[in-house]
Amino acid sequence: MSKQIRWGIASAGKISEDFVIALSTLPATDHKVQAVAARSLDRAQEFAKKHEIPTALGSYDELAKDKDVDVVYIGVLNPQHYEVALLMLNSGKHVLCEKPLAMNKKQVEGILAAAKANKRFFMEAVWSRFFPSYQYVKELISSGKLGEVKDVNVNFGFPLAHVDRLQKRELGGGVVYDLGIYTIQVSQWAFQEKPQKIESKGTLNAEGIDNDVSATLTYSGGRTARMRFTSKEELVNTAVIKGSKGQVTLINFWSPNKLIDIDGKEKEWIPPKGKHATNYGNSEGMRYEAEAVRQSILAGEVENKGVTYADSLLFAEIEDTIRKQIGVLNKYDEE
């Protein structure tokens, strides 16, 4: 098998564009963007021209059937993750699907069942976990340098009242889905066990969609992760992980090039820039998850230890619990 993997991109939106730009920072001998598909062929062609992609397609079905594509990156809107992931897996493609993986745990179970049935590699794109800074924190914890993890305090907020995909129900809006996934995953990265108790409160917009949530996750021995995520205002956006021997702080914790180590000194890892400017800050860091996917596929793995199937199920379960507690249910919960 060639060591190059050939990517297909499902959706020609901003996040997909950033993923393609991140791929351009990796060796072309390892990663090739072979095709892009959008619901509008014009949009796909425009995207393909800008990013020098050989094939532009006007439907996801065509991408699923493209024999020159090994793995599909899914960057569609949240409510479409489920159907597009099933389509690709059932067509024999490996899949990297944007987070939040689906609208609830039941949908996540359906996607993972398809991945297992088709024996394809599948991962939820929790890109944060593949940053060198996250790998460094993992080493601090596993080596015992941080001691026993006692407490995580994480905040994630931006003024996003104008962003429809966060505010509108039919677009899969809500801060639990878009921001909560990040605060939940970093807490799980630190504690590596299922929380024993979840307590949350939040406020909703006029459509009944969550726009500001505070939650406490309690783990064994009374250890806690305290989090707030909001689309109302900018917060400090750090994750502070306190252990019995010291603490470490991830700065801009969702995509951190920088952390404050146990000794109080800053450590920094800067990803290279791509051929174009990204739409969102530091998206070049998606290169790390892309390379992890390549390594897993070449090794014949169906999941990656950075974000396992069990991780994705637990993220969805925690998200569902918080949504239920703050009173945000959607049509997918009733199905």
Side-chain angles (χ1 to χ4, degrees), residues 48-154:
K49 188 178 176 188
K50 179 176 175 181
H51 297 285
E52 300 166 47
I53 300 167
T55 308
L57 303 164
S59 76
Y60 300 136
D61 277 316
E62 289 171 88
L63 181 60
K65 293 187 181 101
D66 190 327
K67 298 268 192 300
D68 295 324
V69 167
D70 304 311
V71 55
V72 174
Y73 168 83
I74 297 176
V76 299
L77 286 168
N78 297 343
Q80 294 154 7
H81 286 179
Y82 178 70
E83 60 185 294
V84 179
L86 288 184
L87 170 66
M88 297 306 167
L89 289 166
N90 290 333
S91 301
K93 301 297 183 208
H94 302 296
V95 170
L96 175 65
C97 182
E98 262 313 331
K99 74 224 143 334
L101 182 43
M103 301 305 284
N104 57 25
K105 187 183 176 187
K106 192 171 152 193
Q107 284 194 342
V108 170
E109 287 168 341
I111 292 171
L112 297 178
K116 287 173 188 168
N118 292 291
K119 298 184 174 61
R120 295 292 89 185
F121 174 81
F122 179 83
M123 192 174 86
E124 180 176 7
V126 183
W127 64 313
S128 319
R129 290 186 159 197
F130 300 92
F131 273 71
S133 53
Y134 269 71
Q135 297 300 316
Y136 184 81
V137 167
K138 187 182 186 181
E139 171 58 24
L140 283 182
I141 295 169
S142 60
S143 67
K145 286 181 191 150
L146 201 60
E148 185 191 21
V149 176
K150 298 286 191 187
D151 177 77
V152 172
N153 195 343
V154 55

Side-chain angles (χ1 to χ4, degrees), residues 204-217:
L204 314 181
N205 69 10
E207 272 203 37
I209 294 299
D210 44 300
N211 57 16
D212 195 329
V213 175
S214 296
T216 301
L217 278 48

Side-chain angles (χ1 to χ4, degrees), residues 115 119-123 296 300-304 309:
K119 298 184 174 61
R120 295 292 89 185
F121 174 81
F122 179 83
M123 192 174 86
S296 279
E301 296 168 354
V302 292
E303 57 184 323
N304 183 285
Y309 292 3

Side-chain angles (χ1 to χ4, degrees), residues 258-269:
K258 197 184 285 186
L259 57 74
I260 301 170
D261 207 347
I262 295 183
D263 60 7
K265 291 180 181 155
E266 279 192 359
K267 264 195 159 29
E268 193 169 33
W269 301 261

Side-chain angles (χ1 to χ4, degrees), residues 16-52:
S16 293
E17 180 166 55
D18 280 8
F19 185 73
V20 169
I21 293 165
L23 286 176
S24 77
T25 71
L26 292 163
T29 49
D30 292 348
H31 295 267
K32 180 185 183 185
V33 183
Q34 178 62 37
V36 59
R39 283 173 301 182
S40 136
L41 180 58
D42 286 351
R43 188 113 182 261
Q45 285 170 334
E46 191 183 321
F47 188 103
K49 188 178 176 188
K50 179 176 175 181
H51 297 285
E52 300 166 47

